[in-house]
Coordinates of all heavy atoms in Angstrom, one line a residue:
S145 N -30.9 -47.2 57.0 CA -30.7 -45.9 57.8 C -29.5 -45.2 57.7 O -29.3 -44.1 57.6 CB -31.2 -46.3 59.2 OG -31.0 -45.1 60.1
S146 N -28.3 -46.1 57.8 CA -27.0 -45.5 57.7 C -26.8 -44.9 56.4 O -26.3 -43.8 56.1 CB -25.9 -46.5 58.0 OG -24.6 -46.1 57.8
K147 N -27.2 -45.7 55.3 CA -27.1 -45.2 53.8 C -27.9 -43.9 53.7 O -27.4 -42.9 53.0 CB -27.5 -46.2 52.9 CG -26.6 -47.3 52.8 CD -27.1 -48.3 51.7 CE -26.2 -49.5 51.7 NZ -26.6 -50.5 50.7
L148 N -29.1 -43.9 54.4 CA -30.0 -42.7 54.2 C -29.3 -41.4 54.8 O -29.2 -40.3 54.3 CB -31.3 -43.0 55.0 CG -32.2 -41.8 54.8 CD1 -32.7 -41.5 53.3 CD2 -33.7 -42.2 55.7
Q149 N -28.7 -41.7 56.0 CA -28.0 -40.6 56.7 C -26.8 -40.1 55.8 O -26.6 -38.9 55.7 CB -27.5 -41.0 58.1 CG -28.6 -41.2 59.0 CD -28.2 -41.8 60.4 OE1 -27.0 -41.6 60.7 NE2 -29.0 -42.2 61.2
R150 N -26.0 -41.1 55.4 CA -24.9 -40.7 54.4 C -25.4 -39.9 53.2 O -24.8 -38.9 52.8 CB -24.1 -41.9 54.0 CG -23.3 -42.5 55.1 CD -22.3 -43.4 54.7 NE -22.6 -44.6 53.8 CZ -23.1 -45.8 54.4 NH1 -23.0 -45.8 55.6 NH2 -23.5 -46.7 53.6
F151 N -26.5 -40.5 52.6 CA -27.0 -39.7 51.4 C -27.5 -38.4 51.7 O -27.2 -37.4 51.0 CB -28.2 -40.6 51.0 CG -29.0 -39.9 49.8 CD1 -28.5 -39.8 48.5 CD2 -30.3 -39.3 50.1 CE1 -29.2 -39.1 47.6 CE2 -30.9 -38.6 49.1 CZ -30.4 -38.6 47.9
R152 N -28.1 -38.1 53.0 CA -28.6 -36.9 53.3 C -27.3 -35.9 53.5 O -27.4 -34.7 53.2 CB -29.4 -37.0 54.6 CG -30.8 -37.5 54.4 CD -31.5 -37.7 55.6 NE -32.8 -38.3 55.4 CZ -33.7 -38.6 56.4 NH1 -33.3 -38.7 57.6 NH2 -34.9 -39.2 56.0
R153 N -26.3 -36.4 54.2 CA -25.2 -35.7 54.4 C -24.5 -35.3 53.0 O -24.1 -34.2 52.8 CB -24.1 -36.4 55.2 CG -24.4 -36.4 56.8 CD -23.3 -36.8 57.7 NE -22.8 -38.2 57.2 CZ -23.2 -39.2 57.9 NH1 -24.1 -39.2 58.7 NH2 -22.6 -40.3 57.6
G154 N -24.4 -36.4 52.3 CA -23.8 -36.1 50.8 C -24.7 -35.0 50.1 O -24.2 -34.2 49.4
R155 N -26.0 -35.2 50.1 CA -26.9 -34.3 49.4 C -26.7 -32.9 50.0 O -26.8 -31.9 49.1 CB -28.4 -34.7 49.6 CG -29.2 -33.9 48.7 CD -30.7 -34.4 48.7 NE -31.3 -34.5 50.0 CZ -32.4 -34.8 50.4 NH1 -33.2 -35.4 49.4 NH2 -33.0 -34.7 51.6
A156 N -26.5 -32.8 51.2 CA -26.3 -31.5 51.8 C -25.0 -30.9 51.2 O -25.0 -29.6 50.9 CB -26.3 -31.5 53.3
F157 N -24.0 -31.7 51.1 CA -22.6 -31.3 50.7 C -22.8 -30.8 49.1 O -22.4 -29.7 48.7 CB -21.6 -32.4 50.9 CG -20.4 -32.0 50.3 CD1 -19.4 -30.9 50.9 CD2 -20.0 -32.6 49.0 CE1 -18.3 -30.7 50.2 CE2 -18.7 -32.2 48.4 CZ -17.8 -31.4 49.0
L158 N -23.5 -31.8 48.5 CA -23.5 -31.5 47.0 C -24.5 -30.4 46.7 O -24.3 -29.6 45.8 CB -24.2 -32.8 46.3 CG -23.2 -34.0 46.3 CD1 -24.0 -35.1 45.6 CD2 -22.0 -33.6 45.5
S159 N -25.5 -30.2 47.8 CA -26.4 -28.9 47.5 C -25.5 -27.6 47.7 O -25.8 -26.7 46.8 CB -27.3 -29.0 48.6 OG -28.1 -28.0 48.6
G160 N -24.5 -27.6 48.6 CA -23.6 -26.5 48.7 C -22.9 -26.2 47.4 O -22.8 -25.1 46.9

Side-chain angles (χ1 to χ4, degrees):
S145 174
S146 177
K147 288 181 180 179
L148 180 61
Q149 291 178 14
R150 288 197 302 271
F151 172 75
R152 286 173 177 171
R153 287 196 299 269
R155 187 174 63 180
F157 174 74
L158 292 177
S159 177

